[in-house]
Amino acid sequence: MYGAITAVKDLALTVRQGEFLTILGPSGSGKTTALMLLAGFISPSEGDILIAGRSVAAVPSYRRDQGIVFQSYALFPHLTVRRNLEFPLEMRGIKASERANRVDSILERVHLKDFGGRMPSQLSGGQQQRVALARALIADPPILLLDEPLGALDRNLREQMQGEIKSLHKEFGITTVCVTHDQEEALTLSDRIVVMRGGVIEQVDTPEALYDRPATLFVANFLGEANLLEKTVYEIEAERSRHAGTVAMIRPERLRISVPGATRSTEADQRESAIGTVTDMIYAGPLRKYHVEVGSRLLVVREHVASGQQVFSPGDQVRLDWLRSDIRFVTP
Ligand SMILES: Nc1ncnc2c1ncn2[C@@H]1O[C@H](COP(=O)(O)OP(=O)(O)O)[C@@H](O)[C@H]1O
Ligand SMILES: [Mg+2]
């Protein structure tokens, strides 16, 4: 709690040994607070934090065996890359010759072999990021904590660094907790994702399960695009009562678009369809996105561009169909 503000509430979370766990949520949802609690920079007003079965709630951050990368990198600006990297080793009383060896080896690992003599200000954003990662990893901590580690990088560099973080995680086997607001990053990196909203955990699951079986509309929307089918389909009474209090959701790539009279091979009782009007077509390289008005709803359809495919334009009448089994029922 920050004064009257409860930034994170009833957080019950178990991080598994060796896993890559990502805390994902919009800005202000309590991600950093949750990470700072784990790191020991702030103490919970209630409850406890255990590492390997031992309570650490009262152990200050600097006494904990963990590597941390802050969003701002927090490199020491007046120290060279080498000296930045030596610092955590000095803190642990490791002697100079061993320090030099470790610095050499980690610099090689993050592809910065020739940069040891530079000052942080003489490095690009991506290079600074790698130094920050190297500094967090150099003392071989069993736990790595990352707060928006790639937030300041442009797209290409971000993707490249995602790959590096992933292979570092694999190689070192460090239990990692990463905070991000970037869905793609969370999906790419994580063994499991914790979705946070307003200081509360909304859902915890593997990336695939979260995307494919979101429990709530918030999770569905946060991890991609969600079409609400609500009253346009699913009038079967039994089904409706079984899913009381939920709305029917379907992902844009599960909708198929075709001319109204087209035939489909799948059995009719597995398939549902609706007629609509295209209002927009967005071409995005390998994908084509359509907005289709069906009744009072605007549905998004996403399809991979393929040869011989029919392309529709605004104003075209189309049929959308989908498999009943692709519908998900989520809490609004
Ligand atoms: N030091 C602080 N003092 C008061 N309120 C804070 C402080 N840090 C964060 N908060 C508030 O706590 C909530 C969660 O913040 P934070 O954990 O930083 O979210 P996130 O990292 O998900 O963006 C926000 O409402 C934020 O304004
Ligand atoms: Mg934050």
Side-chain angles (χ1 to χ4, degrees), residues 27-28 30-33 71 147-148 179:
S27 174
K31 306 181 297 294
T32 294
T33 305
Q71 179 167 8
D147 192 357
E148 309 263 2
V179 158

Side-chain angles (χ1 to χ4, degrees), residues 134-156:
R135 193 178 58 179
L137 289 167
I138 197 163
D140 262 334
I143 297 172
L144 180 63
L145 305 173
L146 309 167
D147 192 357
E148 309 263 2
L150 310 179
L153 308 181
D154 61 40
R155 190 188 172 85
N156 283 341

Side-chain angles (χ1 to χ4, degrees), residues 130-180:
R130 278 181 275 163
V131 175
L133 259 178
R135 193 178 58 179
L137 289 167
I138 197 163
D140 262 334
I143 297 172
L144 180 63
L145 305 173
L146 309 167
D147 192 357
E148 309 263 2
L150 310 179
L153 308 181
D154 61 40
R155 190 188 172 85
N156 283 341
L157 200 51
R158 205 161 61 220
E159 278 177 9
Q160 190 189 324
M161 285 301 299
Q162 281 170 10
E164 300 228 359
I165 289 180
K166 211 169 174 166
S167 66
L168 283 170
H169 175 253
K170 227 177 186 166
E171 186 172 324
F172 288 72
I174 304 179
T175 307
T176 305
V177 180
C178 177
V179 158
T180 183

Side-chain angles (χ1 to χ4, degrees), residues 226-228 277-280 291-300:
N227 286 310
L228 284 188
T277 308
V278 174
T279 61
D280 205 2
H291 290 172
V292 180
E293 201 169 57
V294 178
S296 61
R297 293 205 169 273
L298 200 61
L299 302 183
V300 180

Side-chain angles (χ1 to χ4, degrees), residues 64-95:
R64 297 190 191 182
D65 209 1
Q66 60 198 4
I68 305 175
V69 177
F70 299 96
Q71 179 167 8
S72 56
Y73 312 151
L75 297 177
F76 303 117
H78 58 290
L79 297 181
T80 62
V81 168
R82 275 203 92 81
R83 297 285 302 135
N84 262 281
L85 294 177
E86 273 190 78
F87 184 76
L89 300 176
E90 269 174 42
M91 293 288 287
R92 285 168 174 79
I94 292 169
K95 62 181 195 322

Side-chain angles (χ1 to χ4, degrees), residues 224-276:
E225 279 181 294
N227 286 310
L228 284 188
L229 295 172
E230 253 178 336
K231 292 202 176 62
T232 57
V233 288
Y234 249 72
E235 296 298 348
I236 303 166
E237 282 304 317
E239 288 288 341
R240 281 219 157 266
S241 59
R242 199 149 61 85
H243 299 289
T246 63
V247 290
M249 184 282 289
I250 192 162
R251 293 292 188 193
E253 64 276 16
R254 302 285 180 176
L255 292 173
R256 301 271 297 271
I257 187 166
S258 57
V259 292
T263 49
R264 291 277 189 215
S265 52
T266 318
E267 284 173 52
D269 66 338
Q270 280 304 308
R271 217 166 248 294
E272 299 182 327
S273 62
I275 301 292

